[in-house]
Amino acid sequence: MKPFFLVILTLVATLAVTAPGPAGAAERHVVAVSYAPVLNTPDFPGSFGGAVRLDPCRGVRPVEFIALPGTIFTVQGELTRSGVKILRVTTNDYPYPSKTGLFVDERFVKQASGPVTERSRNLPALEEIRKRLLSAMGKPYVWGGNVKDGVPLLRKYYPQGDPLSGVDCSGLLYEATDGFTPRNTSTLINYGEPVAVAGLSAEAIARKLEPLDLLVWKGHVMIVLDADSVIESRMGCGGKQSGVMMTPKLELLKGIMKTRRPADRFPEGSAGDRAFVVRRWFSRAGGGV
């Protein structure tokens, strides 16, 4: 849950957003010129001014994701906060609902010119993806983060704030694949093809796993790195280990299966709170789905 003052600021600012243009008016598009944080609040100065710590364990989670350079946004409105123009936007790169909307600092984008084309998505080779995953080892967990070394323009425009150096669980995969894979676990649970694991032991599942297979449920994803290990970014609240780490795959599976059962399809409703699935989206022959 967000702190009360952030909720109030978000509601006030949202009401102040310029209304959409008249029906039939041409849509306005902008494109990310660099890594561009996308927030669920227009309060960029409050979020990155240094007075607020972005602590997901305490419910301070303004960042939805970091758009990659070339990401196209459709502008729905605009407002000004502390002299900075903030745009309310939508983007196909993040097709997930937000009750408060999605917002980007106008200084991180430029007006799109000519025909509007979506950001190109080119999946790196297997070894390159694994190299990138390993390069994130030891990086901190950052809610909404998918740029392990941080956002340069945040350091320029908000030098007192969090530069978002780190990744969350799906952000680890998103960065390693150049934004080819879905950004949220709510999509990853159905991404690629299912691996039949229902009713199997941890040992039997471990034998089935291939590099880049996903062990996933709504809220968390882990990535098979090689024949021995799984890599993930853990939030680690309550003093638990946090950040990007590797675990032997059999050890990890045994730990997961203390509280969750393997399923071939992710179940609907509350049953999903006790399940996980394995999804195979990358094949050595043809790359990703």
Side-chain angles (χ1 to χ4, degrees), residues 24-62:
E27 288 186 330
R28 177 189 172 195
H29 296 96
V30 295
V31 58
V33 297
S34 180
Y35 296 116
V38 177
L39 273 55
N40 51 38
T41 170
D43 190 19
F44 275 74
S47 298
F48 296 113
V52 175
R53 181 186 175 195
L54 307 186
D55 185 351
C57 295
R58 301 181 65 181
V60 187
R61 304 172 178 179

Side-chain angles (χ1 to χ4, degrees), residues 30-32 34-35 65-73 91-95 115-124 132 146 174-175 177-183:
V30 295
V31 58
S34 180
Y35 296 116
F65 86 118
I66 301 171
L68 302 183
T71 298
I72 292 290
F73 297 98
T91 175
N92 291 335
D93 278 42
Y94 196 81
V116 176
T117 57
E118 293 291 336
R119 175 180 61 82
S120 62
R121 291 165 175 78
N122 300 304
L123 181 66
R132 294 180 185 185
N146 50 260
Y174 193 78
E175 180 176 36
T177 63
D178 276 341
F180 185 93
T181 48
R183 185 58 185 83

